[in-house]
Amino acid sequence: MRRGRRPKWMLKIAEERIDILFNKADYNFATHPERSNRYVEMARNIAKKYNMKMPSKWAKRFCRNCHYFMKPGLNCQIRLSDSSVVIKCLECGNINKIPYIKEKKERRRRKNEHNNTSKKGTDEQITFNYHH
């Protein structure tokens, strides 16, 4: 095989396999948590082999430290604190913080735009008078 990046069809198959493994890990976690951890390990190996990032759908579903599958409420804790999502692995105690400042700014911008447009509409209604 040639050196460098893999063909798109190979990366697509690898992504499908990673998706299948994480779905199985999610499904089997309640009965076989050790099997779920093995599925995560296999998915990580596929991603490493094909030199691709973990799909964003699954990137936060395993611990960065111990590489265990994380199921919110069972073996990980999720809290909101200071404009960030704090995910704590209850297996190893690792803490992962994900900021959500962009989302807050976007929400604030939309709110301001909405307020400005609604004020314009009310001004036009007030100034527009009918005289019979």
Side-chain angles (χ1 to χ4, degrees), residues 37-55:
N37 298 333
R38 174 70 178 132
Y39 290 148
V40 170
E41 183 183 339
M42 290 165 63
R44 287 184 67 245
N45 286 339
I46 290 171
K48 281 194 283 187
K49 179 178 180 179
Y50 290 95
N51 195 19
M52 58 187 286
K53 289 176 82 173
M54 192 65 71

Side-chain angles (χ1 to χ4, degrees), residues 99-114:
Y100 62 90
I101 293 172
K102 289 179 186 175
E103 289 83 356
K104 286 181 85 171
K105 284 183 180 177
E106 177 69 23
R107 189 171 172 199
R108 193 178 311 128
R109 187 181 62 77
R110 283 188 188 156
K111 184 178 177 185
N112 288 337
E113 286 178 359
H114 177 70

Side-chain angles (χ1 to χ4, degrees), residues 10-104:
M10 270 190 195
L11 296 177
K12 187 179 178 199
I13 291 172
E15 194 169 332
E16 288 173 3
R17 289 178 178 169
I18 289 171
D19 197 44
I20 289 168
L21 286 167
F22 268 101
N23 283 326
K24 283 188 172 196
D26 195 19
Y27 181 76
N28 289 320
F29 184 78
T31 54
H32 303 285
E34 66 286 339
R35 191 179 295 170
S36 294
N37 298 333
R38 174 70 178 132
Y39 290 148
V40 170
E41 183 183 339
M42 290 165 63
R44 287 184 67 245
N45 286 339
I46 290 171
K48 281 194 283 187
K49 179 178 180 179
Y50 290 95
N51 195 19
M52 58 187 286
K53 289 176 82 173
M54 192 65 71
S56 59
K57 179 181 176 183
W58 300 113
K60 306 290 188 243
R61 293 298 303 270
F62 66 94
C63 179
R64 298 277 183 203
N65 189 36
C66 62
H67 307 297
Y68 277 19
F69 184 76
M70 291 197 301
K71 188 91 167 184
L74 297 178
N75 70 339
C76 78
Q77 206 178 53
I78 299 177
R79 299 284 186 258
L80 299 178
S81 169
D82 298 327
S83 297
S84 62
V85 179
V86 179
I87 303 172
K88 180 179 181 183
C89 176
L90 299 178
E91 301 289 336
C92 66
N94 186 47
I95 295 174
N96 188 14
K97 293 183 180 180
I98 307 162
Y100 62 90
I101 293 172
K102 289 179 186 175
E103 289 83 356
K104 286 181 85 171

